[in-house]
């Protein structure tokens, strides 16, 4: 399996990393309207969670808003900064090979003198599947497991660390309807993959089996020992599997996928996400079919 290599080199505000970590670090109150930003979603749109649910103190790895990771997705990171290599060692030897991948989303403030402020969004627990040591840093293959909520920051130096709790969809009213929709999405994904592998893609293109790889992972029951509470249901895992790029995607198609990932991370209804995924899969199937038709004409 080949994954996209991401060189992690965020130019984050020095203020963010020098300020003592606290729960309200990423919250702000404006004089005109007191609005408290929560860690996931929009202002005043809070996601509920059970205070008694399992919580864990884990390393946190920040990314910009264009690098959101969803459950079932895999990618490879090139870690080379000392603080991120320290995070890697912590995860490998003390945290059962898991850490949290999350997005730091800048908050736009109409005050040029104000300090840079970020919102922590799209948190995803990830499992380290493989580590390849390099002369400079390491290539780290990770897999998204399930969404998490950051409830408290406990460390900022040399890397971020915080307390997180699992976030999963609401319990569906109709199990039968969910099961039927899961089967529909799976069949659509396998049909898409059967077309995609026929495409003649350039060597630098992403591997054409990313969707199938994510779906195969989603169909299994991940074993994470003490992190089992963070593993979403089968239906929820499958609902994320479609959110992968297909070969030959244009910039506009990749942007649409990015927006789809952001929406999917905020949705609490499994059926809604399955429906959204099915629309995406059908559109991608039509796109791939059209490209195959063009290729056949070129051969003739």
């Amino acid at each position: 399996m080949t994954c996209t290599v991401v060189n992690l080199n965020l130019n984050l505000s020095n203020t963010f990393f020098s300020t003592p970590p606290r729960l309200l670090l990423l919250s702000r109150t404006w004089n005109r309207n007191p609005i408290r930003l929560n860690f996931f979603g929009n202002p005043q749109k809070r996601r509920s969670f059970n205070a008694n649910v399992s919580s864990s103190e884990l390393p946190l790895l920040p990314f910009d808003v264009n690098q959101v990771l969803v459950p079932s997705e895999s990618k490879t990171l090139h870690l080379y900064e000392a603080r991120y290599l320290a995070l890697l060692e912590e995860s490998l030897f003390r945290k059962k090979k898991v850490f949290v991948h999350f997005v730091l989303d800048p908050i736009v403030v109409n005050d040029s003198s104000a300090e840079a402020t970020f919102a922590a969004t799209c948190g995803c627990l990830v499992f380290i599947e493989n580590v390849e040591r390099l002369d400079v840093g390491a290539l780290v293959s990770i897999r998204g497991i399930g969404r998490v909520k950051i409830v408290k920051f406990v460390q900022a130096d040399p890397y971020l660390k915080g307390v997180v709790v699992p976030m999963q969809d609401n319990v569906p009213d109709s199990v039968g309807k969910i099961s039927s929709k899961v089967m529909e999405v799976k069949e659509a994904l396998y049909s898409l993959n059967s077309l995609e592998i026929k495409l003649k893609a350039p060597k630098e293109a992403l591997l054409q089996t990313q969707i199938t790889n994510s779906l195969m992972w989603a169909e299994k029951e991940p074993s994470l020992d003490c992190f089992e509470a963070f593993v979403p249901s089968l239906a929820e895992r499958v609902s994320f599997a479609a959110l992968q790029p297909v070969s030959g995607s244009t910039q506009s198609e990749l942007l649409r996928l990015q927006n789809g990932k952001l929406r999917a991370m905020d949705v609490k209804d499994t059926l809604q996400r399955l429906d959204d995924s099915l629309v995406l899969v059908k559109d991608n199937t039509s796109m791939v079919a059209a490209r195959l038709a063009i290729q056949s004409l070129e051969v003739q």
Side-chain angles (χ1 to χ4, degrees):
M1 179 183 68
T2 305
C3 300
T4 303
V5 176
V6 178
N7 289 321
L8 187 63
N9 187 17
L10 295 176
N11 295 317
L12 299 177
S13 162
N14 289 332
T15 301
F16 177 82
F17 286 102
S18 61
T19 304
R22 55 194 175 93
L23 180 59
L24 301 181
L25 178 65
L26 303 180
S27 300
R28 187 182 185 89
T29 301
W30 285 271
N31 293 329
R32 57 183 182 277
N33 284 313
I35 300 178
R36 178 170 173 172
L37 296 180
N38 56 53
F39 290 97
F40 284 83
N42 300 319
Q44 303 298 349
K45 185 181 178 182
R46 297 201 174 182
R47 191 189 300 276
S48 61
F49 65 94
N50 188 344
N52 296 321
V53 78
S54 298
S55 64
S56 293
E57 183 179 301
L58 295 171
L60 312 174
L61 190 56
F63 291 80
D64 65 44
V65 71
N66 295 318
Q67 295 292 338
V68 60
L69 184 82
V70 299
S72 82
E73 184 178 5
S74 66
K75 71 177 178 181
T76 300
L77 310 174
H78 180 196
L79 303 181
Y80 50 86
E81 291 188 40
R83 57 180 170 175
Y84 297 136
L85 291 175
L87 180 152
L88 175 62
E89 297 304 310
E90 169 80 5
S91 176
L92 286 174
F93 300 109
R94 298 185 184 88
K95 298 300 180 180
K96 306 286 186 180
K97 296 185 178 181
V98 302
F99 62 86
V100 173
H101 177 298
F102 77 103
V103 166
L104 273 181
D105 195 4
I107 298 174
V108 177
V109 181
N110 296 324
D111 182 356
S112 58
S113 63
E115 294 181 346
T117 308
F118 299 85
T121 64
C122 299
C124 186
L125 182 74
V126 301
F127 178 76
I128 297 175
E129 294 186 320
N130 186 60
V131 176
E132 180 183 349
R133 302 289 180 175
L134 304 175
D135 292 338
V136 179
L139 292 181
V140 184
S141 299
I142 61 174
R143 172 80 62 178
I145 303 299
R147 292 171 295 169
V148 299
K149 179 183 180 70
I150 303 172
V151 296
K152 181 180 180 182
F153 288 98
V154 298
Q155 174 181 308
D157 185 39
Y159 54 83
L160 286 172
K161 184 184 289 187
V163 176
V164 300
V165 295
M167 298 190 66
Q168 297 177 13
D169 289 343
N170 297 327
V171 178
D173 295 329
S174 175
V175 176
K177 191 173 183 179
I178 288 287
S179 298
S180 176
K181 187 64 66 172
V182 166
M183 290 301 299
E184 188 177 357
V185 170
K186 287 168 59 176
E187 290 173 1
L189 287 173
Y190 282 121
S191 295
L192 171 58
N193 183 70
S194 66
L195 288 177
E196 193 180 6
I197 59 179
K198 298 176 183 177
L199 278 175
K200 295 179 181 179
K203 292 182 179 179
E204 64 274 13
L206 295 172
L207 186 66
Q208 295 171 320
T209 55
Q210 282 186 278
I211 287 177
T212 302
N213 178 271
S214 292
L215 181 56
M216 290 177 65
W217 178 88
E219 290 180 305
K220 299 177 182 178
E221 185 70 33
S223 177
L224 292 178
D225 298 329
C226 57
F227 295 101
E228 288 183 2
F230 289 79
V231 178
S233 68
L234 170 64
E236 185 173 339
R237 297 197 303 271
V238 170
S239 71
F240 281 104
L243 296 167
Q244 312 293 329
V246 296
S247 296
S249 295
T250 63
Q251 286 300 315
S252 61
E253 289 164 346
L254 291 175
L255 179 60
R256 182 193 177 194
L257 175 62
Q258 171 69 16
N259 292 333
K261 286 183 178 181
L262 291 171
R263 288 194 302 271
M265 291 294 279
D266 197 46
V267 167
K268 294 190 294 182
D269 187 327
T270 307
L271 190 58
Q272 178 184 336
R273 193 183 305 102
L274 286 167
D275 285 334
D276 292 343
S277 293
L278 195 56
V279 171
L280 177 63
V281 175
K282 289 181 178 179
D283 287 348
N284 284 337
T285 300
S286 297
M287 175 191 69
V288 173
R291 287 176 180 153
L292 281 172
I294 293 173
Q295 283 186 2
S296 65
L297 291 175
E298 291 175 346
V299 171
Q300 295 175 2

